[in-house]
Amino acid sequence: MPLDNSAQICTAAAVLTAAVCFQGWRILNKPESKHTATERSAAIVHGITGLIGNTPLIRINSLSDATGCEILGKAEFLNPGGSSKDRIALYLIEQAEKSGQLVPHTDSCIFEGTSGSTGISLAMVARAKGYLCHIVMPSDQAIEKSQLLERHGATVERVAPCSIVDKNNFVNVARRRAAEYGADDKSGTRRGYFVNQFENPLNSDAHYRSTGPEIFQQTNGHIHAFVHGSGTGGTIAGVTHYLKQQVPGIMSFLADPQGSGLANKVNHGVMFAATEREGTRRRQQVDTLVEGVGLNRLTRNFANLLKPMQGDSKGKCMLDGAVSVSDRDAVRMSRWLMANDGLFIGSSGAINCVTALHVAHRLGPGHTIVTILADSGQRHLTKFWNDQAMVSLGHDVNAPATLDIFEQQ
């Protein structure tokens, strides 16, 4: 029997109302990872620091298609300062302001010892907030990092690489410069602040509060493994701690460059690297062309990963394994990703992706693995992305024909 006009109108109104409500529900419940670029850029942010964080999580197609896993990279190179270090630069400076250690526009200066990326981030945030910045870095780091620091208005001091126990180690020099700065200021307003990223627990706290929650939200909690290297240990410690609290059974793996002893420490309990054998060492610190990650000592941030999580009756450390990645494979992976995905990443991102590939083979198809693409290859043009330099060290700079080459270890 046909409906009368009033019934038809009521039915249409009900359908329309339901549709509007459903669309509203979809908008309110849409996961952040599905937001379009237009939606992300709709809000006005307050200054350059407002652009820090909330970086996209991208599917690395070539690695995912080859393994049957979803291998995802967090595009930290899209932070305004060009790396994941923007997060700790902002967080540590803000915490120093809250505690009264820093006051803007007082001629105070931020000091740090860094391989480059943290310094660039600190210099950017310092300028935005009204501070000076003095960066001490090893002289064997890519020169473009020093140039970027200078363009950001920082004072750059390059020192010869040496052990952390040496008073002239870049970290120790930065600490000393901070103590000397403002010593003659009787008012006490002109201060030197030493960031101390390697031992400052606020480093990992920054990633516990930002990077970890972002990954959890972007994956809707559907994640089986996290992969990352360790320089200061802040990123891997903060993200691992957060995700292990949120996702039962999630695994975390260390990506470690050759020459670093951390992988052996995780896997066998002893700090050792093959390049430490007598007569084989070519370089001070960690003997690798990879910059920013790898150590032969335990930082405070990384050491916390070797302890069991609170409430873990088995007493296991928070890391589930480590992969030692050769310089050869780091170069190969960087060229593979450029040739097959158009991804132009730095050396630490390359070893992360090699490790993610190994973890995918270990876990098997159907798993989701997240790693960090910390910075762009633009910071490595004179070294890691300099084909002539790589060839002189015996590396093949042609993109591999197949990923099978990475399994031959």
Side-chain angles (χ1 to χ4, degrees):
M1 180 178 178
L3 296 171
D4 59 26
N5 289 342
S6 61
Q8 289 177 335
I9 292 171
C10 289
T11 301
V15 171
L16 179 60
T17 301
V20 170
C21 289
F22 177 68
Q23 290 300 322
W25 178 88
R26 284 183 64 189
I27 291 171
L28 290 173
N29 290 277
K30 188 191 297 184
E32 184 177 343
S33 59
K34 298 292 181 67
H35 283 183
T36 65
T38 301
E39 289 172 319
R40 282 199 304 270
S41 63
I44 296 173
V45 300
H46 293 272
I48 193 73
T49 58
L51 295 173
I52 296 174
N54 294 310
T55 53
L57 192 63
I58 63 173
R59 182 180 191 265
I60 304 177
N61 290 330
S62 70
L63 304 184
S64 299
D65 293 343
T67 60
C69 290
E70 289 297 291
I71 298 181
L72 311 176
K74 193 148 175 63
E76 290 292 279
F77 57 83
L78 293 179
N79 278 301
S83 81
S84 57
K85 298 299 187 178
D86 285 7
R87 295 177 185 268
I88 68 166
L90 178 61
Y91 185 72
L92 268 63
I93 289 174
E94 286 183 339
Q95 294 305 305
E97 289 175 334
K98 288 180 181 179
S99 65
Q101 293 174 277
L102 278 174
V103 178
H105 307 293
T106 56
D107 203 27
S108 292
C109 186
I110 295 164
F111 292 82
E112 183 57 339
T114 165
S115 61
S117 288
T118 301
I120 294 166
S121 298
L122 286 169
M124 177 190 72
V125 176
R127 279 288 173 176
K129 284 181 159 285
Y131 300 105
L132 301 173
C133 189
H134 185 120
I135 299 300
V136 185
M137 63 189 299
S139 58
D140 60 352
Q141 301 300 289
I143 191 65
E144 53 265 41
K145 293 181 179 180
S146 292
Q147 294 167 338
L148 282 167
L149 280 162
E150 290 168 350
R151 297 291 78 76
H152 278 85
T155 298
V156 182
E157 186 175 354
R158 291 174 72 96
V159 298
C162 56
S163 169
I164 188 66
V165 299
D166 193 310
K167 67 177 183 179
N168 293 318
N169 174 271
F170 67 106
V171 174
N172 297 331
V173 172
R175 180 186 290 108
R176 191 161 63 248
R177 296 285 184 265
E180 294 167 351
Y181 187 85
D184 57 349
D185 180 21
K186 295 180 180 179
S187 69
T189 58
R190 184 172 175 265
R191 300 175 182 175
Y193 173 69
F194 176 51
V195 174
N196 196 20
Q197 60 171 329
F198 288 90
E199 308 301 332
N200 193 334
L202 292 176
N203 181 341
S204 60
D205 192 44
H207 294 286
Y208 179 86
R209 293 174 180 273
S210 64
T211 319
E214 286 176 29
I215 291 172
F216 180 75
Q217 185 177 22
Q218 289 169 318
T219 59
N220 292 316
H222 184 73
I223 175 175
H224 301 95
F226 175 67
V227 169
H228 194 44
S230 178
T232 65
T235 305
I236 191 171
V239 174
T240 296
H241 194 187
Y242 180 85
L243 291 178
K244 290 222 168 191
Q245 289 179 334
Q246 304 298 322
V247 185
I250 188 174
M251 305 179 82
S252 183
F253 295 90
L254 172 71
D256 209 32
Q258 72 173 48
S260 172
L262 296 179
N264 207 74
K265 179 69 174 177
V266 172
N267 291 332
H268 306 293
V270 178
M271 184 75 75
F272 175 76
T275 52
E276 296 297 299
R277 292 193 183 98
E278 187 175 357
T280 66
R281 190 180 182 93
R282 298 172 304 169
R283 179 179 178 268
Q284 288 284 354
Q285 298 181 298
V286 176
D287 197 0
T288 178
L289 57 84
V290 176
E291 296 185 0
V293 292
L295 282 178
N296 284 307
R297 62 183 176 91
L298 290 180
T299 65
R300 180 177 179 181
N301 287 292
F302 188 82
N304 286 333
L305 283 171
L306 303 181
K307 304 173 184 176
M309 283 190 64
Q310 189 174 3
D312 182 3
S313 59
K314 296 181 180 179
K316 291 175 58 180
C317 80
M318 284 190 277
L319 290 174
D320 298 280
V323 174
S324 183
V325 180
S326 66
D327 284 351
R328 174 197 61 195
D329 277 354
V331 174
R332 284 172 172 171
M333 180 57 76
S334 67
R335 273 57 176 183
W336 167 273
L337 292 173
M338 171 51 71
N340 292 276
D341 297 273
L343 278 173
F344 185 41
I345 62 172
S347 53
S348 66
I351 70 166
N352 284 348
C353 289
V354 173
T355 302
L357 183 65
H358 283 284
V359 171
H361 287 305
R362 170 176 170 174
L363 300 182
H367 293 86
T368 298
I369 301 161
V370 174
T371 191
I372 302 289
L373 307 178
D375 65 359
S376 164
Q378 294 175 17
R379 291 192 176 170
H380 304 264
L381 293 175
T382 59
K383 295 190 69 178
F384 186 72
W385 274 100
N386 182 327
D387 286 355
Q388 185 176 357
M390 293 300 98
V391 169
S392 71
L393 293 172
H395 298 299
D396 185 356
V397 294
N398 295 306
T402 171
L403 286 170
D404 292 343
I405 196 169
F406 293 101
E407 299 176 45
Q408 299 168 9
Q409 292 195 359

mmCIF file of all heavy atoms in Angstrom, residues 93-122:
data_model
loop_
_atom_site.group_PDB
_atom_site.id
_atom_site.type_symbol
_atom_site.label_atom_id
_atom_site.label_comp_id
_atom_site.label_asym_id
_atom_site.label_seq_id
_atom_site.Cartn_x
_atom_site.Cartn_y
_atom_site.Cartn_z
ATOM 1 N N ILE A 93 63.614 22.488 26.448
ATOM 2 C CA ILE A 93 63.679 23.930 26.694
ATOM 3 C C ILE A 93 62.457 24.390 27.482
ATOM 4 O O ILE A 93 62.568 25.185 28.426
ATOM 5 C CB ILE A 93 63.810 24.696 25.365
ATOM 6 C CG1 ILE A 93 65.205 24.468 24.764
ATOM 7 C CG2 ILE A 93 63.568 26.194 25.573
ATOM 8 C CD1 ILE A 93 65.400 25.057 23.391
ATOM 9 N N GLU A 94 61.281 23.886 27.129
ATOM 10 C CA GLU A 94 60.067 24.270 27.867
ATOM 11 C C GLU A 94 60.130 23.813 29.319
ATOM 12 O O GLU A 94 59.689 24.540 30.223
ATOM 13 C CB GLU A 94 58.839 23.678 27.185
ATOM 14 C CG GLU A 94 58.464 24.378 25.885
ATOM 15 C CD GLU A 94 57.210 23.834 25.245
ATOM 16 O OE1 GLU A 94 56.828 22.679 25.551
ATOM 17 O OE2 GLU A 94 56.604 24.564 24.439
ATOM 18 N N GLN A 95 60.677 22.617 29.551
ATOM 19 C CA GLN A 95 60.806 22.137 30.928
ATOM 20 C C GLN A 95 61.813 22.979 31.712
ATOM 21 O O GLN A 95 61.627 23.238 32.911
ATOM 22 C CB GLN A 95 61.216 20.662 30.944
ATOM 23 C CG GLN A 95 60.168 19.714 30.372
ATOM 24 C CD GLN A 95 58.821 19.849 31.035
ATOM 25 O OE1 GLN A 95 58.703 19.747 32.260
ATOM 26 N NE2 GLN A 95 57.786 20.099 30.243
ATOM 27 N N ALA A 96 62.868 23.422 31.040
ATOM 28 C CA ALA A 96 63.852 24.292 31.697
ATOM 29 C C ALA A 96 63.239 25.639 32.042
ATOM 30 O O ALA A 96 63.547 26.233 33.082
ATOM 31 C CB ALA A 96 65.075 24.476 30.799
ATOM 32 N N GLU A 97 62.350 26.120 31.178
ATOM 33 C CA GLU A 97 61.646 27.376 31.467
ATOM 34 C C GLU A 97 60.718 27.219 32.661
ATOM 35 O O GLU A 97 60.643 28.082 33.543
ATOM 36 C CB GLU A 97 60.856 27.822 30.235
ATOM 37 C CG GLU A 97 61.735 28.306 29.093
ATOM 38 C CD GLU A 97 60.945 28.630 27.830
ATOM 39 O OE1 GLU A 97 59.849 28.040 27.642
ATOM 40 O OE2 GLU A 97 61.414 29.469 27.039
ATOM 41 N N LYS A 98 60.001 26.095 32.716
ATOM 42 C CA LYS A 98 59.070 25.858 33.817
ATOM 43 C C LYS A 98 59.786 25.765 35.157
ATOM 44 O O LYS A 98 59.253 26.179 36.198
ATOM 45 C CB LYS A 98 58.270 24.575 33.558
ATOM 46 C CG LYS A 98 57.229 24.705 32.457
ATOM 47 C CD LYS A 98 56.483 23.392 32.259
ATOM 48 C CE LYS A 98 55.454 23.523 31.134
ATOM 49 N NZ LYS A 98 54.723 22.232 30.908
ATOM 50 N N SER A 99 61.004 25.210 35.133
ATOM 51 C CA SER A 99 61.759 25.053 36.382
ATOM 52 C C SER A 99 62.561 26.299 36.738
ATOM 53 O O SER A 99 63.219 26.335 37.783
ATOM 54 C CB SER A 99 62.707 23.861 36.266
ATOM 55 O OG SER A 99 63.699 24.104 35.273
ATOM 56 N N GLY A 100 62.521 27.315 35.876
ATOM 57 C CA GLY A 100 63.230 28.557 36.141
ATOM 58 C C GLY A 100 64.688 28.549 35.729
ATOM 59 O O GLY A 100 65.413 29.524 35.974
ATOM 60 N N GLN A 101 65.132 27.469 35.056
ATOM 61 C CA GLN A 101 66.527 27.405 34.619
ATOM 62 C C GLN A 101 66.790 28.303 33.413
ATOM 63 O O GLN A 101 67.924 28.721 33.192
ATOM 64 C CB GLN A 101 66.899 25.966 34.259
ATOM 65 C CG GLN A 101 66.914 25.009 35.430
ATOM 66 C CD GLN A 101 67.148 23.575 34.988
ATOM 67 O OE1 GLN A 101 66.218 22.871 34.577
ATOM 68 N NE2 GLN A 101 68.386 23.144 35.058
ATOM 69 N N LEU A 102 65.762 28.578 32.636
ATOM 70 C CA LEU A 102 65.883 29.443 31.472
ATOM 71 C C LEU A 102 64.794 30.505 31.497
ATOM 72 O O LEU A 102 63.629 30.208 31.802
ATOM 73 C CB LEU A 102 65.756 28.638 30.179
ATOM 74 C CG LEU A 102 66.992 27.896 29.666
ATOM 75 C CD1 LEU A 102 66.622 27.048 28.452
ATOM 76 C CD2 LEU A 102 68.121 28.868 29.302
ATOM 77 N N VAL A 103 65.180 31.709 31.156
ATOM 78 C CA VAL A 103 64.233 32.812 31.009
ATOM 79 C C VAL A 103 64.533 33.468 29.667
ATOM 80 O O VAL A 103 65.672 33.865 29.415
ATOM 81 C CB VAL A 103 64.379 33.847 32.146
ATOM 82 C CG1 VAL A 103 63.403 35.001 31.934
ATOM 83 C CG2 VAL A 103 64.154 33.188 33.499
ATOM 84 N N PRO A 104 63.533 33.589 28.787
ATOM 85 C CA PRO A 104 63.798 34.138 27.448
ATOM 86 C C PRO A 104 64.200 35.607 27.480
ATOM 87 O O PRO A 104 63.862 36.340 28.411
ATOM 88 C CB PRO A 104 62.463 33.936 26.715
ATOM 89 C CG PRO A 104 61.434 33.826 27.790
ATOM 90 C CD PRO A 104 62.126 33.171 28.945
ATOM 91 N N HIS A 105 64.935 35.993 26.447
ATOM 92 C CA HIS A 105 65.333 37.400 26.232
ATOM 93 C C HIS A 105 66.164 37.954 27.396
ATOM 94 O O HIS A 105 66.006 39.105 27.806
ATOM 95 C CB HIS A 105 64.101 38.274 25.977
ATOM 96 C CG HIS A 105 63.227 37.764 24.871
ATOM 97 N ND1 HIS A 105 63.637 37.732 23.554
ATOM 98 C CD2 HIS A 105 61.968 37.228 24.904
ATOM 99 C CE1 HIS A 105 62.661 37.221 22.811
ATOM 100 N NE2 HIS A 105 61.661 36.900 23.592
ATOM 101 N N THR A 106 67.035 37.102 27.946
ATOM 102 C CA THR A 106 67.938 37.531 29.018
ATOM 103 C C THR A 106 69.389 37.313 28.610
ATOM 104 O O THR A 106 70.269 37.295 29.472
ATOM 105 C CB THR A 106 67.650 36.749 30.321
ATOM 106 O OG1 THR A 106 67.762 35.347 30.057
ATOM 107 C CG2 THR A 106 66.268 37.076 30.865
ATOM 108 N N ASP A 107 69.634 37.123 27.317
ATOM 109 C CA ASP A 107 70.977 36.844 26.811
ATOM 110 C C ASP A 107 71.472 35.482 27.293
ATOM 111 O O ASP A 107 72.675 35.221 27.305
ATOM 112 C CB ASP A 107 71.955 37.940 27.216
ATOM 113 C CG ASP A 107 73.167 38.018 26.290
ATOM 114 O OD1 ASP A 107 73.029 37.626 25.117
ATOM 115 O OD2 ASP A 107 74.251 38.443 26.743
ATOM 116 N N SER A 108 70.546 34.611 27.716
ATOM 117 C CA SER A 108 70.924 33.274 28.135
ATOM 118 C C SER A 108 71.225 32.409 26.914
ATOM 119 O O SER A 108 70.710 32.661 25.819
ATOM 120 C CB SER A 108 69.806 32.637 28.969
ATOM 121 O OG SER A 108 69.675 33.307 30.208
ATOM 122 N N CYS A 109 72.034 31.379 27.122
ATOM 123 C CA CYS A 109 72.506 30.582 25.990
ATOM 124 C C CYS A 109 72.326 29.090 26.278
ATOM 125 O O CYS A 109 72.581 28.616 27.382
ATOM 126 C CB CYS A 109 73.986 30.877 25.724
ATOM 127 S SG CYS A 109 74.647 30.084 24.236
ATOM 128 N N ILE A 110 71.884 28.366 25.257
ATOM 129 C CA ILE A 110 71.682 26.924 25.332
ATOM 130 C C ILE A 110 72.912 26.237 24.743
ATOM 131 O O ILE A 110 73.329 26.546 23.626
ATOM 132 C CB ILE A 110 70.412 26.524 24.579
ATOM 133 C CG1 ILE A 110 69.187 27.126 25.281
ATOM 134 C CG2 ILE A 110 70.287 25.012 24.450
ATOM 135 C CD1 ILE A 110 67.936 27.121 24.448
ATOM 136 N N PHE A 111 73.486 25.293 25.490
ATOM 137 C CA PHE A 111 74.689 24.574 25.072
ATOM 138 C C PHE A 111 74.378 23.087 24.923
ATOM 139 O O PHE A 111 73.629 22.514 25.710
ATOM 140 C CB PHE A 111 75.805 24.739 26.111
ATOM 141 C CG PHE A 111 76.345 26.133 26.215
ATOM 142 C CD1 PHE A 111 75.690 27.086 26.983
ATOM 143 C CD2 PHE A 111 77.520 26.490 25.560
ATOM 144 C CE1 PHE A 111 76.190 28.384 27.088
ATOM 145 C CE2 PHE A 111 78.024 27.780 25.661
ATOM 146 C CZ PHE A 111 77.359 28.730 26.427
ATOM 147 N N GLU A 112 74.980 22.466 23.911
ATOM 148 C CA GLU A 112 74.830 21.030 23.770
ATOM 149 C C GLU A 112 75.939 20.443 22.926
ATOM 150 O O GLU A 112 76.464 21.081 22.015
ATOM 151 C CB GLU A 112 73.479 20.682 23.134
ATOM 152 C CG GLU A 112 73.176 19.208 23.004
ATOM 153 C CD GLU A 112 73.206 18.406 24.317
ATOM 154 O OE1 GLU A 112 73.826 18.836 25.301
ATOM 155 O OE2 GLU A 112 72.613 17.331 24.349
ATOM 156 N N GLY A 113 76.301 19.200 23.253
ATOM 157 C CA GLY A 113 77.204 18.405 22.435
ATOM 158 C C GLY A 113 76.378 17.461 21.598
ATOM 159 O O GLY A 113 75.565 16.699 22.133
ATOM 160 N N THR A 114 76.549 17.495 20.296
ATOM 161 C CA THR A 114 75.662 16.754 19.403
ATOM 162 C C THR A 114 76.369 16.416 18.103
ATOM 163 O O THR A 114 77.295 17.128 17.683
ATOM 164 C CB THR A 114 74.390 17.582 19.097
ATOM 165 O OG1 THR A 114 73.696 17.025 17.978
ATOM 166 C CG2 THR A 114 74.734 19.024 18.774
ATOM 167 N N SER A 115 75.906 15.346 17.450
ATOM 168 C CA SER A 115 76.437 15.008 16.131
ATOM 169 C C SER A 115 75.833 15.888 15.048
ATOM 170 O O SER A 115 76.214 15.798 13.894
ATOM 171 C CB SER A 115 76.169 13.532 15.812
ATOM 172 O OG SER A 115 74.783 13.268 15.784
ATOM 173 N N GLY A 116 74.868 16.728 15.408
ATOM 174 C CA GLY A 116 74.342 17.699 14.454
ATOM 175 C C GLY A 116 72.860 17.950 14.531
ATOM 176 O O GLY A 116 72.417 19.093 14.667
ATOM 177 N N SER A 117 72.044 16.904 14.435
ATOM 178 C CA SER A 117 70.601 17.094 14.319
ATOM 179 C C SER A 117 69.985 17.742 15.552
ATOM 180 O O SER A 117 69.154 18.647 15.442
ATOM 181 C CB SER A 117 69.917 15.760 14.022
ATOM 182 O OG SER A 117 70.176 15.350 12.699
ATOM 183 N N THR A 118 70.366 17.292 16.750
ATOM 184 C CA THR A 118 69.837 17.923 17.961
ATOM 185 C C THR A 118 70.236 19.386 18.003
ATOM 186 O O THR A 118 69.442 20.249 18.403
ATOM 187 C CB THR A 118 70.340 17.198 19.225
ATOM 188 O OG1 THR A 118 69.938 15.836 19.169
ATOM 189 C CG2 THR A 118 69.767 17.836 20.478
ATOM 190 N N GLY A 119 71.452 19.681 17.583
ATOM 191 C CA GLY A 119 71.912 21.066 17.566
ATOM 192 C C GLY A 119 71.075 21.947 16.657
ATOM 193 O O GLY A 119 70.719 23.077 17.022
ATOM 194 N N ILE A 120 70.748 21.439 15.478
ATOM 195 C CA ILE A 120 69.935 22.212 14.531
ATOM 196 C C ILE A 120 68.561 22.494 15.126
ATOM 197 O O ILE A 120 68.040 23.613 15.041
ATOM 198 C CB ILE A 120 69.826 21.464 13.188
ATOM 199 C CG1 ILE A 120 71.196 21.383 12.517
ATOM 200 C CG2 ILE A 120 68.816 22.143 12.252
ATOM 201 C CD1 ILE A 120 71.279 20.389 11.377
ATOM 202 N N SER A 121 67.983 21.477 15.754
ATOM 203 C CA SER A 121 66.671 21.654 16.383
ATOM 204 C C SER A 121 66.740 22.650 17.533
ATOM 205 O O SER A 121 65.862 23.506 17.688
ATOM 206 C CB SER A 121 66.149 20.306 16.882
ATOM 207 O OG SER A 121 65.964 19.400 15.814
ATOM 208 N N LEU A 122 67.781 22.537 18.360
ATOM 209 C CA LEU A 122 67.945 23.473 19.476
ATOM 210 C C LEU A 122 68.135 24.903 18.980
ATOM 211 O O LEU A 122 67.574 25.851 19.548
ATOM 212 C CB LEU A 122 69.139 23.059 20.334
ATOM 213 C CG LEU A 122 68.947 21.840 21.232
ATOM 214 C CD1 LEU A 122 70.282 21.389 21.810
ATOM 215 C CD2 LEU A 122 67.949 22.128 22.352
#
